[in-house]
Amino acid sequence: MLIEQLIRTIPKAELHIHIEGSLEPELMFEIARRNGVSLRYKSVDELRHAYEFSDLQSFLDIYYEGASVLRQERDFYDMTMAYLRRAAADNVRHAEIFFDPQTHTAREVEFETVLTGIDRALRDGESEFGITAKPIMCFLRHLSAEAAMETLEEALPFKERIVAVGLDSGERGNPPSKFAEVFARARDEGFLTVAHAGEEGPPSYIREALDILKVSRIDHGIRGVEEPELVDEIAARRIPLTVCPLSNVKLCVFDAIEDHPLKMLLDRGVKVTINSDDPAYFGGYVVDNFIAVHRALDLTEDEIRQLARNSFEASFVSNEEKERYLREIG
């Protein structure tokens, strides 16, 4: 119980959170009503009962339907503020938040509408909750590289408000190398880069993300354990992995949380971090993920503190800010 109290109170950074995946059913229905959007589910309970996923794609089908209610700047603001309020309860002190503009621009929602709603909430959230936050714009990998490049062009007038670009959506058949030119252009424009790799995709996708996209960190990366030499390389290069344990079990990557390789990765010297991914769908925010792996893998107080330190060391805050958070963790 003492360790669980530590988990709740220790400062944390969350580096793998899809803001559209934080849209809880209650808020989804509220936004749908005010925008006149019909959902195929008739109630919050019916929607929650649909959250039985067999793989990443079965989740994405519901995820994109949920995101379809988002139409106005206010919608993106309310969704982001709701996440920040919940994160503050977990003592998340810094968040780097993924957003998927293509999910919305495909429905003729303006890029500026999406970003302005999110950005305004991040500013208000810092004032109200003391959480600093940076948005990361993700490209949908199941769409074409040409579509990603068009989205990058749309983002350039707003690039001072976006810290990095990322790559998400279904991995199968969509290797990181598909987006080599897009990421090269993004780096030239001053964006940092991250990418989902090795969630359902093979270890070779992790190598492509590192060597071709030249990412600063890997989102998920858990299938790297299939190649021990790759784990050694990731550890030696101090490449962070933003791991999402409850998501991995919910999407059937592992049968149970007891099978998760997080502790092994930590023991191997990998800079692994704990995150919530799409918490409205996977049944847990960041503290829930910490507690789940602590109970299943018997994590010690020292390991909990190391995971919290890793989260700030892997973040895109300044070195001065990192040192301040690390002193608080002890």
Side-chain angles (χ1 to χ4, degrees), residues 18 21 51 53 55-56 59-60 63 199 220 244 246-251 276-285 289:
H18 298 269
Y51 293 174
F53 311 118
D55 57 14
L56 180 58
F59 153 67
L60 289 172
Y63 170 91
E199 178 186 15
H220 291 298
C244 308
L246 291 178
S247 165
N248 297 152
V249 174
K250 188 74 171 179
L251 296 183
S276 65
D277 201 2
D278 300 275
Y281 294 89
F282 300 145
Y285 287 78
N289 278 267

Side-chain angles (χ1 to χ4, degrees), residues 9 68 82 113 129 137 252 315 319-320:
T9 58
S68 71
T113 298
F129 308 118
M137 180 183 73
C252 305
S315 74
N319 289 334
E320 181 181 357

Side-chain angles (χ1 to χ4, degrees), residues 10-223:
I10 198 167
K12 311 164 196 70
E14 178 153 39
L15 308 179
H16 189 149
I17 165 71
H18 298 269
I19 198 61
E20 294 92 347
S22 72
L23 184 59
E24 292 285 353
E26 293 82 0
L27 183 55
M28 185 190 301
F29 273 85
E30 178 185 331
I31 293 173
R33 280 193 296 270
R34 75 189 186 205
N35 287 338
V37 177
S38 297
L39 295 168
R40 60 179 162 138
Y41 302 99
K42 303 305 181 185
S43 68
V44 167
D45 286 343
E46 184 180 340
L47 177 56
R48 286 195 187 278
H49 286 143
Y51 293 174
E52 295 296 331
F53 311 118
S54 59
D55 57 14
L56 180 58
Q57 190 57 53
S58 64
F59 153 67
L60 289 172
D61 292 341
I62 292 181
Y63 170 91
Y64 290 128
E65 180 175 0
S68 71
V69 307
L70 302 165
R71 304 290 175 89
Q72 311 297 327
E73 180 183 321
R74 176 188 173 188
D75 305 338
F76 295 95
Y77 177 91
D78 288 351
M79 173 178 64
T80 305
M81 282 296 284
Y83 163 72
L84 294 172
R85 188 175 297 109
R86 184 61 182 76
D90 285 352
N91 203 22
V92 172
R93 304 285 290 280
H94 176 74
E96 293 174 4
I97 294 174
F98 298 131
F99 72 105
D100 291 335
Q102 289 164 290
T103 296
H104 313 295
T105 56
R107 297 180 289 106
E108 299 185 350
V109 178
E110 295 290 332
F111 183 100
E112 186 172 8
T113 298
V114 178
L115 180 59
T116 300
I118 294 170
D119 185 61
R120 186 162 60 87
L122 298 184
R123 295 172 190 273
D124 287 353
E126 183 171 3
S127 299
E128 186 170 344
F129 308 118
I131 299 176
T132 58
K134 300 175 183 290
I136 296 175
M137 180 183 73
C138 287
F139 305 115
L140 299 181
R141 68 200 308 153
H142 68 277
L143 301 179
S144 68
E146 292 76 16
M149 189 69 83
E150 290 173 7
T151 298
L152 179 60
E153 294 283 354
E154 283 188 275
L156 293 181
F158 309 98
K159 67 180 182 180
E160 299 305 317
R161 296 155 64 182
I162 302 169
V163 69
V165 300
L167 188 62
D168 63 11
S169 190
E171 272 193 272
R172 291 175 182 165
N174 297 298
S177 54
K178 174 180 172 181
F179 298 91
E181 291 184 15
V182 179
F183 272 67
R185 173 74 186 282
R187 294 193 307 271
D188 288 344
E189 293 289 348
F191 291 103
L192 297 170
T193 59
V194 300
H196 286 50
E199 178 186 15
E200 62 175 0
S204 62
Y205 282 19
I206 299 173
R207 291 191 180 279
E208 286 192 7
L210 292 172
D211 298 340
I212 298 175
L213 304 189
K214 303 187 186 304
V215 297
S216 299
R217 60 186 185 232
I218 296 288
D219 300 312
H220 291 298
I222 47 174
R223 286 196 60 191

